[in-house]
Amino acid sequence: RSGQKPYFGIRSFGPYRTIQKTPTFVFVFREQDRQLARFLYSSLIGKEYAEKFSGMTQYFKVEFSNANIRHVAIVDHSWQEYERVVATIKEMGWSEPVCIVLTPGNPAEYYLQKSIFLNNEIPSQDVRIDHIARKNNFQWSIAGLALQLFCKAGGIPWCVQTKQKHSLIIGISQLWDNTQTGRQRHVAYSVMTDASGM
């Protein structure tokens, strides 16, 4: 990648391995968050921040249109409502579902929806509504969010090549969050157990 953002290579050459089966992307949101869900969708197709992210289809060569996008409106972020989302997905027969869940950012609700969806073998991506609402800041997150969706749908964005076969790859990322008491830094890391990066 020679120091450039990894998205540049994906945009120019496509992902290392694309998605085998077309996923169904299911937006899950409360009725009062519908407009933010529409803005998120518009951002993911490349309409809102085209100069920074031209869309899921162009970047990752994955179908992301009305043909494979659905939504389920929920009353609240309760166990019962997430179970209803799962039941709807199964009843409608939506294939290869990936849920995009708009949440207020409550950690308990995050773990709750992760638990329910994972127990039903449905990958999910949490997106905080306050983060979407800060539209000037959100433009810097949309490519990373799209990357997460691509990976959760079964795609492999890139393969890391190292000069040595016996090596350990550690990826580190950070996120700054503005809180009432100041700025808070979140650091995440992933460890690859071999040199392939996969």
Side-chain angles (χ1 to χ4, degrees):
R1 299 192 305 243
S2 65
Q4 294 183 338
K5 290 185 178 180
Y7 307 108
F8 294 167
I10 293 175
R11 182 174 58 189
S12 301
F13 308 108
Y16 176 71
R17 188 175 301 157
T18 190
I19 296 169
Q20 302 302 311
K21 296 180 181 178
T22 302
T24 303
F25 294 100
V26 183
F27 283 77
V28 179
F29 54 86
R30 297 174 304 177
E31 192 58 46
Q32 63 260 41
D33 300 324
R34 182 177 291 270
Q35 289 304 319
L36 289 175
R38 286 180 175 161
F39 182 80
L40 175 58
Y41 164 75
S42 185
S43 301
L44 287 168
I45 63 171
K47 185 176 177 183
E48 298 298 333
Y49 309 112
E51 68 283 351
K52 291 184 174 55
F53 179 72
S54 56
M56 289 281 293
T57 301
Q58 183 172 344
Y59 260 71
F60 300 111
K61 313 301 185 243
V62 58
E63 178 75 18
F64 195 88
S65 69
N66 289 337
N68 68 322
I69 292 178
R70 304 290 181 265
H71 76 275
V72 179
I74 57 177
V75 175
D76 55 30
H77 298 279
S78 65
W79 181 280
Q80 293 82 2
E81 285 296 280
Y82 287 134
E83 288 285 5
R84 187 173 62 81
V85 172
V86 171
T88 300
I89 290 170
K90 292 179 179 179
E91 180 184 337
M92 300 302 290
W94 295 334
S95 62
E96 309 298 322
V98 177
C99 287
I100 304 168
V101 186
L102 279 70
T103 69
N106 182 317
E109 293 169 354
Y110 169 81
Y111 293 122
L112 175 66
Q113 64 95 354
K114 282 292 183 186
S115 171
I116 293 170
F117 290 129
L118 284 175
N119 281 332
N120 287 276
E121 299 181 349
I122 299 173
S124 65
Q125 176 64 47
D126 181 85
V127 187
R128 286 175 40 183
I129 53 177
D130 62 328
H131 194 47
I132 303 170
R134 294 194 301 264
K135 295 180 180 178
N136 285 337
N137 291 339
F138 189 59
Q139 63 182 315
W140 306 109
S141 303
I142 193 64
L145 174 61
L147 176 65
Q148 292 297 315
L149 290 172
F150 174 73
C151 293
K152 289 175 181 180
I156 300 175
W158 53 72
C159 181
V160 177
Q161 294 181 343
T162 61
K163 293 179 181 178
Q164 300 175 354
K165 289 185 178 180
H166 302 290
S167 58
L168 183 67
I169 299 171
I170 303 173
I172 300 176
S173 179
Q174 69 175 351
L175 169 71
W176 287 94
D177 194 15
N178 293 320
T179 65
Q180 292 179 346
T181 58
R183 296 187 78 198
Q184 185 176 10
R185 183 179 180 204
H186 305 275
V187 178
Y189 66 91
S190 60
V191 178
M192 307 300 176
T193 57
D194 60 31
S196 70
M198 298 188 345

